[in-house]
């Protein structure tokens, strides 16, 4: 019998950072195409500007700091795409450009690069943009096509602001909103793809939405409208599931998702913001190290119980 000794890791997986990021980008294509369908080529321009500026910002930073250039892992492209899909199509393109650069340089690279940022880069940049240019970030445009949705061509009103819309309109995407959040059907297609590919599990998205729905029901809200409007589903599927900024253990992820759902509902009901997804996820990102500290996984191999 031969005994072979080698260095760790001893468990091999064919997945790479690049393949995982590429899978998420592919999962975002349905909602991107839906955004282009509803809002026109301006939506595509935002996505292109977001992705290109994010990649160039990462390349320039890593070159200037003499770090290995890692733009080939697709993480910067994904960050720029996520930011762009969180933008209203009427926002100036330079706002998307600034947001992408901030997401990469301020939130990702200054904290050590991929895997070291403690908050979601795209969401953090969006929060900064909302504080800096609130009018541009809340000027939501009506879709180019409608299912008898009566409203002005350009309006700041959304379903969360009180605009009346049917569940079918909200599910398909015939409502104002950001480029990537309006079509819940497209988001669910991306969710199914990520599940089938094994990129994410159902726990965080389902528990996030379920926790929100239960509290919303207790507060007397219209639960269906709350789930189908705003960025709840988009955030639950594509933002809260970020590997770097959510807890490592299954128990921790459940706590994280419940916290996101509860905070989203509380912000929507008791703050000046009609939407709470961005701030709820960022607050739970900050709490993630604490959750990891107190929610332990399986004990380390070779160590006994206390």
């Amino acid at each position: 019998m031969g005994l072979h000794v080698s260095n760790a890791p001893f468990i091999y997986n064919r997945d790479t950072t690049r393949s995982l990021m590429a899978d998420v980008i592919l999962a975002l294509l349905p909602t991107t195409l839906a955004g282009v369908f509803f809002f026109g080529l301006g939506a595509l321009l935002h996505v292109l500007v977001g992705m290109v500026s994010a990649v160039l910002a990462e390349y320039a930073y890593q070159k200037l700091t003499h770090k290995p250039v890692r733009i080939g892992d697709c993480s910067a492209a994904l960050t720029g795409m996520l930011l762009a899909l969180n933008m209203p199509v009427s926002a100036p393109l330079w706002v998307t450009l600034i947001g992408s650069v901030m997401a990469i340089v301020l939130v990702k690279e200054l904290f050590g690069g991929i895997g070291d940022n403690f908050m979601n880069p795209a969401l953090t940049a969006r929060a900064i943009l909302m504080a800096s240019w609130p009018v541009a970030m809340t000027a939501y445009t009506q879709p180019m096509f409608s299912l008898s949705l009566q409203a002005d061509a350009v309006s700041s009103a959304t379903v969360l602001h009180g605009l009346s819309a049917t569940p079918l309109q909200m599910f398909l995407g015939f409502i104002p909103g950001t480029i990537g959040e309006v079509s819940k059907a497209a988001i669910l297609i991306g969710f199914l793809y990520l599940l089938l590919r094994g990129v994410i599990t159902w726990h965080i998205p389902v528990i996030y939405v379920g926790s929100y729905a239960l509290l919303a029901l207790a507060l007397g809200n219209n639960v269906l409208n709350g789930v189908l409007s705003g960025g709840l589903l988009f955030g639950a599927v594509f933002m809260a599931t970020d590997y770097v900024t959510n807890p490592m253990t299954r128990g921790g992820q459940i706590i994280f998702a419940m916290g996101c759902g509860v905070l989203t509902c509380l912000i929507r009901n008791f703050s000046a913001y009609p939407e709470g997804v961005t701030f709820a996820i960022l607050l739970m990102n900050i709490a993630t190290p604490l959750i990891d500290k107190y929610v332990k996984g399986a004990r380390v191999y070779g160590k006994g119980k206390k």
Side-chain angles (χ1 to χ4, degrees), residues 30 43 51 66 81 96 109 134 142 180 189 195 215 217 277 298 305:
M51 295 179 74
H66 306 290
M81 189 177 190
T96 300
E109 292 299 330
Q142 290 284 20
I189 291 172
L195 288 177
L215 184 55
L217 183 65
V277 172
K305 294 181 179 178

Side-chain angles (χ1 to χ4, degrees), residues 251-289:
Q253 290 172 1
I254 292 172
I255 295 172
F256 174 87
M258 291 176 65
C260 287
V262 169
L263 286 172
T264 298
C265 191
L266 292 177
I267 293 170
R268 283 185 175 185
N269 279 274
F270 301 109
S271 79
Y273 290 97
E275 177 62 284
V277 172
T278 295
F279 298 108
I281 296 176
L282 290 178
L283 286 170
M284 291 310 297
N285 285 167
I286 296 171
T288 290

Side-chain angles (χ1 to χ4, degrees), residues 28 31 42-44 46 63 76 79 101 132 148 175 177 188 190 197 200 203 217-218 227 233 256-257 269 285 291 297:
L28 285 167
T31 191
L44 182 59
H46 274 283
K63 274 291 188 182
T79 297
V101 172
S132 303
S148 302
I175 55 173
L188 291 177
R197 290 285 297 163
I200 65 173
H203 300 83
L217 183 65
V227 172
L233 281 181
F256 174 87
N269 279 274
N285 285 167
I291 295 172

Side-chain angles (χ1 to χ4, degrees), residues 87-292:
M87 299 290 293
V89 71
S90 59
L93 291 174
W94 56 264
V95 176
T96 300
L97 187 151
I98 291 174
S100 289
V101 172
M102 286 193 299
I104 296 299
V105 177
L106 295 181
V107 189
K108 183 182 176 185
E109 292 299 330
L110 286 181
F111 284 94
I114 185 170
D116 291 321
N117 51 281
F118 71 99
M119 291 194 296
N120 185 289
L123 276 185
T124 307
R126 183 175 190 256
I128 296 172
L129 294 179
M130 289 175 65
S132 303
W133 295 282
V135 176
M137 292 297 292
T138 54
Y140 300 113
T141 303
Q142 290 284 20
M144 295 172 61
F145 308 96
S146 67
L147 292 178
S148 302
L149 186 63
Q150 299 298 322
D152 297 331
V154 178
S155 171
S156 62
T158 66
V159 177
L160 292 174
H161 284 90
L163 180 69
S164 178
T166 67
L168 181 61
Q169 289 169 333
M170 290 185 283
F171 180 73
L172 295 178
F174 293 92
I175 55 173
T178 64
I179 296 168
E181 75 180 18
V182 291
S183 178
K184 309 310 180 293
I187 293 170
L188 291 177
I189 291 172
F191 179 42
L192 180 61
Y193 174 81
L194 292 176
L195 288 177
L196 293 175
R197 290 285 297 163
V199 176
I200 65 173
T201 64
W202 61 268
H203 300 83
I204 289 179
V206 172
I207 294 172
Y208 184 166
V209 176
S211 300
Y212 168 84
L214 288 175
L215 184 55
L217 183 65
L219 294 174
N221 300 158
N222 185 320
V223 176
L224 185 60
N225 278 9
V227 172
L228 294 179
S229 59
L232 178 61
L233 281 181
F234 187 86
V237 173
F238 295 110
M239 304 302 232
T241 54
D242 176 29
Y243 285 175
V244 178
T245 56
N246 68 54
M248 294 182 288
T249 63
R250 183 71 71 221
Q253 290 172 1
I254 292 172
I255 295 172
F256 174 87
M258 291 176 65
C260 287
V262 169
L263 286 172
T264 298
C265 191
L266 292 177
I267 293 170
R268 283 185 175 185
N269 279 274
F270 301 109
S271 79
Y273 290 97
E275 177 62 284
V277 172
T278 295
F279 298 108
I281 296 176
L282 290 178
L283 286 170
M284 291 310 297
N285 285 167
I286 296 171
T288 290
L290 192 64
I291 295 172
D292 279 333

